[in-house]
């Protein structure tokens, strides 16, 4: 499987709701957190749709671990992408959860609440310093203490912008917007100069935008959402102004990544997220656009861009905790993350790895151009999407944004209603 930013975004959207009463006490314990002792015994390792393209990599990885730790035997299980959350839920309820499991933050949350995910702050806290702070924090659960998976691979994406459209609007193409205030000013100016024919953005704000704007998304206890505060309302009001001025594409309410990409391709939109693959398409299909492409970081007013993170969780009830923890760390250590990153378009979560020449030196290719830009921003990136924010909640927020932009509700009313709906869904999850 080619792992892209969009794939990770979709993967991180999978939601699992476990029958918690069948799984544990819900206190995050689920057994001893002591992972000391001899590294030995049989363990199972489950990945998420990776066998087809990376069979050799994982077979070599397992063989290396078993050689390093005589007396261990790792059985590798790979599950298809479809139904992965359901499979984890069934295994958790049936007591057949593997010893080491590939998870995203939203998948680990109910497992941690059910006491099935090992708290690595207690069991393996000595490894925390090996990882980027934002990545290690990616598998923490609101309302709980602890970290419940080793960070594995990361992804993010820079923004593309059309330099010629910026210049035509009298904007400095060498200094694209970096903050939301910069973005709103530039977007209104571009819409005015083009009589509404050129929008700057093709997408409505998502929960990640609220996070990057500095809006508190949840309370610390993880019991309620808070994105309807004054700052959240301010952001939505700004987008309403853009929408009315046609600085936000009129079709943004129903936009998909594909439709947004097409708008950028035809130069109807000045900025859009993308990947090296998109650059290759521009080179073939729109050479005039391609020669005017600029690459910049995601817009953020917090100083930190958004990242997607995958993790490796240890089953708290594993009978071979020392081996399970050792293997999970082995899979995610700097050496093995770097080797995996060179096989697929992802980034390591280990401290210092993004300073490798592979992520800092350009060679003139589109793939490297995008990789270098993304890697630089990942050093201080965070995962803004709350681990408890489900697909249904995303739909509620999107619908609320649409009502506000269309003038059917005020920004405050729309967000108040979205928070009420999301809080209700949150209670149903519990």
């Amino acid at each position: 499987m080619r792992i892209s930013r969009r794939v990770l975004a979709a993967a991180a959207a999978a939601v699992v709701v476990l029958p918690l009463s069948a799984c544990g006490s819900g206190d995050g314990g689920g057994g001893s957190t002591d992972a000391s002792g001899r590294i030995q015994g049989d363990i199972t390792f489950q990945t998420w749709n990776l066998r087809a393209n990376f069979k050799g990599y994982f077979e070599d990885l397992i063989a290396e671990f078993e050689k390093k730790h005589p007396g261990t035997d790792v059985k590798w299980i790979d599950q298809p992408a479809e139904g992965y959350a359901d499979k984890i839920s069934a295994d958790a309820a049936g007591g057949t959860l593997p010893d080491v499991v590939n998870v995203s933050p939203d998948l680990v949350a109910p497992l941690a609440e059910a006491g099935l995910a090992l708290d690595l702050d207690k069991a393996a806290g000595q490894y925390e310093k090996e990882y980027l702070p934002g990545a290690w924090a990616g598998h923490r659960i609101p309302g709980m203490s602890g970290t419940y998976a080793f960070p594995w691979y990361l992804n993010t994406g820079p923004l593309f912008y059309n330099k010629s459209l910026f210049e035509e609007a009298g904007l400095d193409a060498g200094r694209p917007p970096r903050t939301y205030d910069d973005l709103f000013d530039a977007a209104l100016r571009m819409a005015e100069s083009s009589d509404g024919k050129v929008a700057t953005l093709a997408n409505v704000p998502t929960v990640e935008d609220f996070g990057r704007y500095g809006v508190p998304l949840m309370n610390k206890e993880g019991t309620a959402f808070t994105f309807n505060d004054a700052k959240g309302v301010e952001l939505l009001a700004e987008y309403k102004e853009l929408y009315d001025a046609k600085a936000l594409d009129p079709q943004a309410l129903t936009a998909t990544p594909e439709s947004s990409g097409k708008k950028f391709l035809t130069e109807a939109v000045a900025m859009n997220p993308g990947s090296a693959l998109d650059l290759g398409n521009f080179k073939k299909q729109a050479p005039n656009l391609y020669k005017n492409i600029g690459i910049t970081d995601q817009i953020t007013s917090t100083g930190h861009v958004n990242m997607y993170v995958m993790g490796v969780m240890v089953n708290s009830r594993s009978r071979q905790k020392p081996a399970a923890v050792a293997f999970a760390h082995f899979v995610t250590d700097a050496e093995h993350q770097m080797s995996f990153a060179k096989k697929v378009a992802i980034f390591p979560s280990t401290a210092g790895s993004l300073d490798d020449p592979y992520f800092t030196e350009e060679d003139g290719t589109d793939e490297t151009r995008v990789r270098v830009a993304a890697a630089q921003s990942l050093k201080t990136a965070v995962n803004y999407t709350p681990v408890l924010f489900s697909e249904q909640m995303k739909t509620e927020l999107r619908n609320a944004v649409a009502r506000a932009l269309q003038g059917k509700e005020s920004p405050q009313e729309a967000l108040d209603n979205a928070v009420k709906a999301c809080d209700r869904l949150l209670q149903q999850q519990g």
Side-chain angles (χ1 to χ4, degrees):
M1 180 181 76
R2 178 177 175 81
I3 308 171
S4 68
R5 181 178 58 82
R6 288 174 184 164
V7 169
L8 282 180
V15 177
V16 56
V17 180
L18 301 177
L20 299 186
S21 60
C23 298
S25 63
D27 63 0
S32 169
T33 57
D34 183 9
S36 62
R38 185 178 176 187
I39 299 171
Q40 62 181 358
D42 300 348
I43 59 172
T44 51
F45 168 50
Q46 179 171 288
T47 53
W48 189 347
N49 196 31
L50 295 175
R51 184 182 293 273
N53 289 345
F54 307 108
K55 183 173 182 286
Y57 171 82
F58 285 103
E59 287 178 342
D60 290 346
L61 183 75
I62 289 168
E64 183 184 350
F65 178 80
E66 291 174 343
K67 182 178 180 181
K68 181 178 180 181
H69 300 286
T72 59
D73 185 88
V74 180
K75 179 183 178 182
W76 176 31
I77 305 167
D78 186 65
Q79 300 291 351
E82 185 176 356
Y84 189 73
D86 292 336
K87 181 69 170 80
I88 289 180
S89 180
D91 284 343
T96 56
L97 196 67
D99 298 280
V100 181
V101 187
N102 177 189
V103 291
S104 56
D106 61 295
L107 291 182
V108 85
L111 295 171
E113 291 171 348
L116 291 175
L118 187 66
D119 180 358
L120 298 180
D121 285 345
K122 293 180 179 177
Q126 70 270 28
Y127 298 127
E128 178 179 355
K129 63 183 180 296
E130 297 180 17
Y131 301 88
L132 294 170
W136 184 264
H139 293 89
R140 289 177 178 154
I141 316 300
M144 297 180 66
S145 61
T147 299
Y148 293 93
F150 283 100
W152 195 7
Y153 53 83
L154 309 176
N155 226 326
T156 191
L159 272 178
F160 293 149
Y161 67 100
N162 188 319
K163 292 180 178 179
S164 63
L165 292 180
F166 271 71
E167 290 168 353
E168 289 169 13
L171 298 166
D172 186 349
R175 298 182 64 186
R178 301 297 294 270
T179 69
Y180 281 91
D181 287 345
D182 294 341
L183 174 66
F184 298 145
D185 290 343
L188 290 172
R189 185 168 173 179
M190 188 171 294
E192 182 179 2
S193 69
S194 67
D195 291 326
K197 294 179 182 179
V198 178
T200 299
L201 301 175
N203 296 285
V204 298
T206 63
V207 70
E208 291 92 346
D209 285 291
F210 282 83
R212 290 195 302 257
Y213 192 64
V215 178
L217 303 177
M218 287 195 85
N219 63 15
K220 292 181 180 180
E221 296 76 25
T223 57
F225 291 97
T226 57
F227 53 80
N228 61 333
D229 80 339
K231 201 162 186 66
V233 173
E234 179 182 277
L235 176 68
L236 188 50
E238 293 280 6
Y239 266 88
K240 168 65 173 167
E241 184 177 358
L242 297 188
Y243 186 73
D244 290 343
K246 295 186 178 180
L248 177 65
D249 185 76
Q251 296 176 335
L253 299 181
T254 57
T256 64
E258 290 73 25
S259 67
S260 299
K262 188 173 182 180
K263 290 276 186 179
F264 187 75
L265 180 71
T266 58
E267 302 190 59
V269 168
M271 301 189 82
N272 202 58
S275 67
L277 182 62
D278 293 313
L279 271 186
N281 291 336
F282 298 154
K283 191 173 185 177
K284 293 178 182 177
Q285 301 174 27
N288 188 58
L289 169 65
Y290 177 77
K291 69 181 182 182
N292 284 301
I293 288 285
I295 301 177
T296 188
D297 287 342
Q298 299 170 18
I299 303 297
T300 175
S301 294
T302 66
H304 305 280
V305 305
N306 185 64
M307 70 175 170
Y308 302 102
V309 56
M310 279 289 171
V312 177
M313 184 203 88
V314 175
N315 184 346
S316 67
R317 299 184 180 176
S318 170
R319 295 182 178 181
Q320 302 293 350
K321 279 195 188 72
V325 169
F327 183 72
H329 174 249
F330 188 77
V331 170
T332 63
D333 69 19
E335 177 186 351
H336 297 106
Q337 286 211 47
M338 179 61 76
S339 65
F340 194 40
K342 291 184 177 180
K343 294 180 178 296
V344 63
I346 50 90
F347 299 87
S349 63
T350 40
S353 295
L354 296 176
D355 293 323
D356 187 275
Y358 184 71
F359 296 112
T360 60
E361 297 179 3
E362 293 194 26
D363 59 8
T365 65
D366 290 334
E367 183 175 354
T368 302
R369 190 179 173 194
V370 173
R371 181 172 68 234
V372 169
Q376 182 63 31
S377 66
L378 271 172
K379 291 181 180 180
T380 57
V382 298
N383 179 17
Y384 284 106
T385 304
V387 297
L388 303 176
F389 202 67
S390 69
E391 276 299 289
Q392 287 177 290
M393 294 172 189
K394 291 177 184 178
T395 298
E396 291 289 351
L397 177 58
R398 187 177 181 87
N399 290 342
V401 167
R403 292 193 300 271
L405 296 185
Q406 293 171 324
K408 296 178 179 179
E409 294 178 357
S410 71
Q412 183 73 68
E413 290 171 331
L415 291 181
D416 284 347
N417 288 333
V419 163
K420 288 179 184 177
C422 291
D423 283 348
R424 184 171 61 251
L425 290 167
L426 184 65
Q427 294 304 313
Q428 291 172 4
Q429 285 182 7

